[in-house]
Amino acid sequence: MIETRGLRKSFRSRAGRETKTVDAVRGVDLTVAEGEIFGFLGPNGAGKTTTLRMLATLIEPDGGEATIAGADLRTDPAEVRRRIGYVAQGGSTWDESTAREELVLHARLYGIGKAEAHRRAARALDAFQLTEYADRKCKTYSGGQRRRVDIALGIIHEPKIVFLDEPTTGLDPQSRAHMWDEIRRLRADGMTVFITTHYLDEADALCDRIAIMDHGEVVAEGTPAELKREISGDVVLVGLDAAATPQAAEVLDTEPYVNKLETGDEGGLRLYVDEGATAIPQVLRRLDHAGLDLRSIELHRPSLDDVFLTKTGRSLRES
Amino acid sequence: MKLLRDTWLIFERQIQLLLRNPVWVFVGVFQPVMYLLLFAPLLKPALNAPTQAAAYKIFVPGLLVLLAIFGGLFQGFGLIAELRAGVIERSRVTPVSRLALLLGRSLRDVVSLIVQAVIITLLALLFDLRVFIGDLLLAYLMLALIALMTSAVSYGVALKVKSEDALAPLMNTVAQPVLLLSGILLPLTFAPGWLQGIADWNPFSWAVDGTRALFAGDLGNDKVWQGLSIIAVLAAAGVVWAARQFARSVR
Ligand SMILES: Nc1ncnc2c1ncn2[C@@H]1O[C@H](COP(=O)(O)OP(=O)(O)OP(=O)(O)O)[C@@H](O)[C@H]1O
Ligand SMILES: [Mg+2]
């Protein structure tokens, strides 16, 4: 559905008298299949929005090429526009208009006739539970309601692909869960959904496939499960009193099944093992044997954050 | 035709939003009326005109051109608000004609200017101003072209600078010499030669002279067709340039 090769974009920005070049996106290759929810995961400034804006024909790439829903981004941007929907990170509604007016106008800008535009607006308002507020000015909406109008605008013309730039940022947990349901419904309707996020759980739970982006480059691509599987082994977190920690570290460091051992800041140990399920009983036995008291023990499966950590040397949580 | 349809869609929305805003009605209508009622009485003695009607024949066209220039030049502020709200970007991902995005907005500005002009003309009629209807319509055409040009330029500049902080001083810097060098408020008949010489390079000076000739019923005056052609060419250039900014604006 989407195929990009070597997509690049740099911005020149002026700070004082110096002009600096920011390489926002440096060679992105992606393949997105029809009917999947594809997630773009990355920290602030990774280049997610810039990539999306290029794919949505809003800015011209400096280099590379892309085919979107069968249309060539370079040679036929007008056709690309007809086949995609795009929902910007920062919202897109006008304070003084109502949701219904916005939806009708937006549909008509896609060439849809007046009567049909009204029908579609009514249907979209219904689907996104907005009917109650449909004829109130947008400035009176809550953040979540306004975000739902944005998404409804992006799909009013029933595009093959919709790009959603951080659809759930700023929503409370309940609205987020609702938004996930809406996005899954779009997929059920046969739409290909391309979202960006910097939430690990969102990428993990919602997306069929993800690409992890950092500093303008894709550092990993695959299903969440595949990516996590690449990180070999599990992590066992051993909770101990600070006083007992050094001795426990000494005892466990020599065990053959412990690949690596780290001491936590406030006591406790992090053990990297091949197989958590078999390691835990052995750890328990060994500590018991040494007469050390254990406060807790936890098996930690690798998360997407661990994937990010191994690929970039940084944690996504910290950045 | 797609361009006409798209332009109408944008225009319709903009007019709808304009009418929803009572502040505009107040500012747009009362301000010029104040000029007419409070400033004009000073004119007859100042211009040394034989009658009040003669003074109006000079002052009203100047006032209308002034409104057309300023009404247009400051429209960019509204566009920056739309830019910030994401409305422009949202329009730019649709296949809508980029020229229509500009024309729909500029036409709203033209229409609201013409409404102001009609109100002022009607009021001036009460003060014994008399203009032949054909001349008046040509004068309105001139005003419409001026407003089209200034609002298009304002939109184009707004898309380039993207911030009110940059737009305000820029527009003021443009507007001030344009105003002083066009003989808008007072004719430049008594200006020294060098001032006249500079004013000849100001297209709005030609527009004001042309409009005054029309209000004076002097249709055959060369200034009429000269003013109209100069402004028409500039309006076309302004529209083409600004539409291009709509097509390529980044964020
Ligand atoms: N118009 C622009 N002019 C100059 N620099 C820009 C522009 N747009 C983006 N950048 C820079 O490009 C880089 C990538 O920005 P981008 O908005 O694509 O990041 P992002 O991954 O979407 O981040 P976030 O999660 O914060 O939305 C950043 O360093 C940003 O400052
Ligand atoms: Mg972003």
Side-chain angles (χ1 to χ4, degrees):
Chain A
M1 232 10 189
I2 304 176
E3 183 117 29
T4 76
R5 245 179 317 126
L7 223 47
R8 277 190 300 111
K9 182 77 195 176
S10 36
F11 292 106
R12 224 163 311 164
S13 62
R14 224 171 305 150
R17 242 181 304 139
E18 281 173 68
T19 49
K20 270 200 308 196
T21 310
V22 183
D23 294 322
V25 177
R26 16 180 153 191
V28 163
D29 304 324
L30 286 176
T31 310
V32 178
E34 184 163 358
E36 71 179 358
I37 300 178
F38 188 87
F40 226 17
L41 176 68
N44 289 140
K48 304 183 295 292
T49 298
T50 306
T51 309
L52 242 62
R53 284 165 54 80
M54 283 194 278
L55 295 178
T57 74
L58 287 167
I59 47 178
E60 214 172 314
D62 291 339
E65 37 202 80
T67 327
I68 297 158
D72 190 288
L73 181 66
R74 287 254 155 175
T75 57
D76 200 0
E79 193 51 43
V80 173
R81 279 184 205 120
R82 245 167 260 140
R83 297 181 186 185
I84 64 159
Y86 170 78
V87 177
Q89 187 172 355
S92 60
T93 46
W94 185 241
D95 275 353
E96 302 296 325
S97 294
T98 70
R100 192 188 305 277
E101 287 168 354
E102 293 287 47
L103 287 164
V104 170
L105 173 73
H106 204 60
R108 302 209 64 201
L109 291 183
Y110 279 102
I112 296 166
K114 195 168 184 172
E116 174 65 13
H118 276 276
R119 262 197 301 278
R120 287 202 192 190
R123 218 182 311 141
L125 288 166
D126 196 40
F128 286 87
Q129 289 135 38
L130 288 161
T131 309
E132 201 182 318
Y133 331 99
D135 299 303
R136 240 167 55 186
K137 287 183 182 177
C138 288
K139 68 177 169 197
T140 68
Y141 295 175
S142 76
Q145 291 162 353
R146 221 170 159 149
R147 202 65 187 137
R148 293 213 295 277
V149 180
D150 287 332
I151 312 253
L153 284 166
I155 56 159
I156 193 76
H157 57 299
E158 296 171 354
K160 291 200 165 71
I161 301 175
V162 64
F163 296 94
L164 308 176
D165 201 352
E166 304 203 7
T168 65
T169 300
L171 299 188
D172 64 31
Q174 203 195 345
S175 312
R176 251 180 100 205
H178 272 299
M179 189 61 82
W180 286 8
D181 288 340
E182 321 266 13
I183 292 171
R184 291 193 181 108
R185 213 186 58 223
L186 297 181
R187 175 181 57 188
D189 290 346
M191 221 176 268
T192 304
V193 185
F194 191 136
I195 74 166
T196 75
T197 180
H198 48 235
Y199 295 121
L200 295 159
D201 58 335
E202 184 160 286
D204 212 341
L206 181 62
C207 301
D208 299 319
R209 267 175 356 102
I210 59 175
I212 298 181
M213 192 163 196
D214 188 42
H215 290 309
E217 281 167 326
V218 171
V219 293
E221 188 184 342
T223 69
E226 276 167 11
L227 290 174
K228 286 184 286 190
R229 221 176 298 133
E230 271 180 37
I231 313 270
S232 54
D234 297 331
V235 179
V236 175
L237 302 174
V238 186
L240 293 152
D241 285 332
T245 303
Q247 204 191 334
E250 206 174 301
V251 171
L252 291 174
D253 208 10
T254 50
E255 293 293 298
Y257 53 86
V258 175
N259 296 335
K260 204 174 133 209
L261 179 150
E262 275 172 15
T263 307
D265 293 339
E266 291 154 29
L269 297 171
R270 239 180 126 81
L271 311 179
Y272 292 85
V273 300
D274 288 333
E275 188 70 54
T278 58
I280 285 182
Q282 302 186 62
V283 171
L284 291 176
R285 251 190 320 250
R286 190 69 192 84
L287 289 179
D288 189 40
H289 194 73
L292 290 163
D293 272 341
L294 186 73
R295 254 200 291 151
S296 65
I297 189 154
E298 225 178 282
L299 174 62
H300 178 71
R301 299 256 173 216
S303 69
L304 286 177
D305 196 28
D306 297 316
V307 177
F308 191 79
L309 187 70
T310 42
K311 299 283 181 185
T312 68
R314 287 176 297 123
S315 165
L316 192 55
R317 286 215 173 78
E318 294 155 11
S319 55
Chain B
M1 235 186 83
K2 182 165 160 28
L3 175 63
L4 287 182
R5 179 184 178 278
D6 288 353
T7 303
W8 174 253
L9 284 174
I10 303 291
F11 173 75
E12 195 181 21
R13 167 191 172 94
Q14 296 294 335
I15 285 282
Q16 216 174 40
L17 291 173
L18 186 68
L19 293 178
R20 202 171 286 174
N21 185 358
V23 177
W24 173 82
V25 179
F26 181 79
V27 175
V29 175
F30 279 84
Q31 218 178 29
V33 170
M34 289 299 135
Y35 262 104
L36 205 60
L37 296 183
L38 303 181
F39 189 67
L42 309 174
L43 285 170
K44 186 176 159 246
L47 291 174
N48 215 355
T51 63
Q52 189 68 28
Y56 269 112
K57 273 195 194 302
I58 297 172
F59 175 66
V60 171
L63 175 63
L64 293 178
V65 171
L66 177 82
L67 284 174
I69 294 175
F70 278 77
L73 275 186
F74 289 90
Q75 297 295 346
F77 288 99
L79 188 70
I80 288 175
E82 287 192 277
L83 214 51
R84 199 156 287 149
V87 175
I88 302 302
E89 181 152 300
R90 184 185 105 201
S91 315
R92 293 203 323 116
V93 283
T94 73
V96 68
S97 147
R98 314 287 123 152
L99 181 56
L101 289 179
L102 169 72
L103 282 182
R105 287 180 173 79
S106 282
L107 283 185
R108 168 203 58 190
D109 306 334
V110 167
V111 166
S112 73
L113 172 82
I114 296 296
V115 170
Q116 283 183 308
V118 169
I119 292 172
I120 290 174
T121 318
L122 289 176
L123 270 175
L125 287 180
L126 295 179
F127 292 93
D128 293 332
L129 175 81
R130 291 293 174 268
V131 193
F132 179 58
I133 184 79
D135 294 341
L136 187 62
L137 290 178
L138 266 184
Y140 285 174
L141 174 64
M142 179 90 84
L143 295 175
L145 287 171
I146 294 173
L148 180 63
M149 163 176 53
T150 53
S151 82
V153 167
S154 182
Y155 290 137
V157 173
L159 288 174
K160 264 204 142 28
V161 302
K162 299 178 195 75
S163 99
E164 287 97 345
D165 298 345
L167 188 65
L170 209 67
M171 285 300 137
N172 275 321
T173 319
V174 175
Q176 197 191 27
V178 158
L179 181 64
L180 293 177
L181 289 173
S182 60
I184 282 178
L185 292 174
L186 295 171
L188 288 171
T189 345
F190 308 114
W194 62 268
L195 198 55
Q196 289 261 8
I198 302 177
D200 281 346
W201 288 97
N202 181 354
F204 295 105
S205 170
W206 294 79
V208 176
D209 287 346
T211 316
R212 285 216 171 98
L214 285 166
F215 269 73
D218 189 6
L219 186 58
N221 193 326
D222 284 346
K223 297 264 174 157
V224 173
W225 69 262
Q226 285 165 346
L228 275 172
S229 342
I230 289 174
I231 296 296
V233 168
L234 287 177
V239 165
V240 168
W241 175 74
R244 210 176 279 171
Q245 303 309 313
F246 269 95
R248 78 155 75 110
S249 86
V250 173
R251 208 169 293 235

